[in-house]
Amino acid sequence: MKDPIKKAEEIVKEMHDEAGRYTKPVLKRYPLVFSFLSVFSFAAILRGFDMWVEQMGIFEEHPVVLILIGVVALLFTGTLYKTLAKVK
C-alpha cells in the first residue's frame, strides 16, 4: 500500500512546480511588490490569530494554557517527523 502522506507530498510538489513555471517570470519582474504582499499576508494572519485568541476567555485568564498547547503541538510535530523518517 502506498503511503498517503507521500502521495500528498508528491501532489503538492507537482502543483508547486507547475505554478512555478508561471510565477517565476513575474516574480523576477516585480520582486518588491511580491515581497510586500508576502510580508503583509503573514502579518495579517498573525494579527487575525492574535485577535481570535484575545476573544477566548480561557487564554486571557490562563495564558499558560496557550503556551502548553503550543509546546504539545511542537512535540507532536517532532514525533511525527521522527516517525515518518523511520518509515523511509
Side-chain angles (χ1 to χ4, degrees):
M1 182 173 175
K2 198 166 188 177
D3 185 12
I5 295 176
K6 186 171 183 166
K7 181 67 175 168
E9 289 283 335
E10 290 172 0
I11 292 171
V12 169
K13 184 181 181 323
E14 288 174 16
M15 289 173 49
H16 177 267
D17 293 344
E18 185 67 27
R21 291 188 321 140
Y22 299 103
T23 59
K24 283 183 183 175
V26 177
L27 286 173
K28 286 182 182 178
R29 289 175 58 189
Y30 306 106
L32 198 57
V33 171
F34 283 96
S35 296
F36 284 135
L37 285 173
S38 297
V39 170
F40 176 78
S41 299
F42 184 70
I45 290 170
L46 288 180
R47 180 62 182 140
F49 180 76
D50 187 42
M51 291 171 66
W52 178 69
V53 167
E54 285 176 356
Q55 292 178 354
M56 302 285 197
I58 190 166
F59 297 141
E60 212 170 289
E61 295 169 13
H62 308 287
V64 172
V65 173
L66 186 60
I67 294 170
L68 289 175
I69 290 171
V71 169
V72 168
L74 287 173
L75 289 172
F76 174 73
T77 304
T79 304
L80 181 64
Y81 179 79
K82 287 180 182 179
T83 303
L84 293 174
K86 287 180 184 176
V87 171
K88 282 185 176 181

